[in-house]
Amino acid sequence: MIYPAPDLAAAKTWWSSVLGIEPYFDEPFYVGFNVGGYELSLDPNGDPAVGPVTYWGVRDVDAAVKWVVAAGATVRDEVQEVGGGIRVATVVEPSGLVVGLIENPNFVLPDTLPGEGQADGPGR
């Protein structure tokens, strides 16, 4: 989950206090917390009008973007590295919701993800 954080310092302080932990990744462009094995992040460039964006963990974000676009989504934000080998993208699914995809080497994914093993699967 990535929350818009126009005042990144204040948001980082608040979330650190609420969670009782410091971020594992702390840069001026992105702050990430490992909360029970899940990513909670703060984006100073995020749009509060859009609200938080949920990011689904994938093995290969490029392949996953191609898969969801073929299924009818449109790209909102192209794949980009946000630091530390973390690569993200967002798409808009057919009903207009923003969906995030994240390839994060800091987290271990299950051995098998939905859709893996299909001949034309999402490359996740």
Side-chain angles (χ1 to χ4, degrees):
M1 181 72 74
I2 297 183
Y3 290 91
D7 184 342
L8 188 60
K12 179 174 67 173
T13 298
W14 189 84
W15 279 104
S16 292
S17 171
V18 167
L19 299 171
I21 59 174
E22 293 299 315
Y24 77 91
F25 190 88
D26 189 352
E27 294 292 336
F29 54 85
Y30 184 90
V31 172
F33 295 88
N34 179 343
V35 183
Y38 294 93
E39 179 85 1
L40 185 154
S41 299
L42 307 172
D43 179 1
N45 299 310
D47 182 354
V50 171
V53 176
T54 302
Y55 282 73
W56 294 95
V58 298
R59 293 187 211 290
D60 180 340
V61 72
D62 296 297
V65 167
K66 287 178 187 173
W67 177 261
V68 297
V69 166
T74 57
V75 174
R76 179 173 180 261
D77 297 300
E78 297 285 342
V79 174
Q80 61 183 323
E81 180 162 334
V82 295
I86 300 168
R87 300 176 68 229
V88 299
T90 57
V91 298
V92 178
E93 54 93 34
S95 69
L97 299 174
V98 177
V99 177
L101 302 166
I102 183 168
E103 178 184 321
N104 187 337
N106 297 293
F107 292 102
V108 178
L109 296 174
D111 290 337
T112 303
L113 295 170
E116 283 187 330
Q118 297 175 344
D120 61 346
R124 307 181 281 157

